[in-house]
Amino acid sequence: MADGSDTTLTADKTAEQAPNGLVAGIKSFAAGHGGAKAVIEYVGKRGARIVLVGSDGVWADQFADDTDVARQACAQAGVTVENAWERELMDQMRPSNDLWRSMARRTMAR
């Protein structure tokens, strides 16, 4: 039997370069908020959403073509990627007043 698995696709996959604008955006966010951690979420045909949580609790998101590009962009930017939404990371997030207002408007409009 040959080494490796015939169902593994990682050997044939070529590494796609992360766009410079995406890497620069992640670096900029991390620098402006005392460091950051990221969670990458697959969002279907749209690609992957990178949710960045700064050390100060501010959060933002970026979009990549797929999860591999998102992971590569975070690695190039020096941002740690968390495997899942851990309680400590969620407790660190602080929604802005604008976000609270927009959520309240949506609830009141129902």
Side-chain angles (χ1 to χ4, degrees):
M1 180 176 235
D3 290 337
S5 171
D6 59 347
T7 60
T8 303
L9 299 176
T10 55
D12 295 335
K13 190 164 186 155
T14 58
E16 188 175 333
Q17 184 68 18
N20 290 335
L22 178 61
V23 174
I26 295 170
K27 279 184 182 178
S28 175
F29 179 85
H33 298 283
K37 292 184 180 180
V39 176
I40 298 173
E41 301 172 337
Y42 174 72
V43 290
K45 289 182 182 179
R46 174 87 193 252
R49 179 181 184 204
I50 306 168
V51 181
L52 300 164
V53 181
S55 296
D56 59 357
V58 175
W59 60 278
D61 59 2
Q62 299 274 340
F63 281 90
D65 292 338
D66 62 29
T67 56
D68 292 332
V69 172
R71 287 187 182 282
Q72 186 178 28
C74 289
Q76 289 176 2
V79 172
T80 304
V81 177
E82 297 290 325
N83 290 327
W85 285 104
E86 299 292 333
R87 181 184 177 115
E88 293 82 18
L89 186 61
M90 292 187 70
D91 285 346
Q92 184 178 342
M93 294 176 74
R94 299 287 175 242
S96 68
N97 288 335
D98 292 336
L99 181 61
W100 283 116
R101 278 191 288 275
S102 71
M103 288 189 296
R105 274 185 256 134
R106 279 185 244 149
T107 302
M108 300 301 282
R110 291 183 189 174

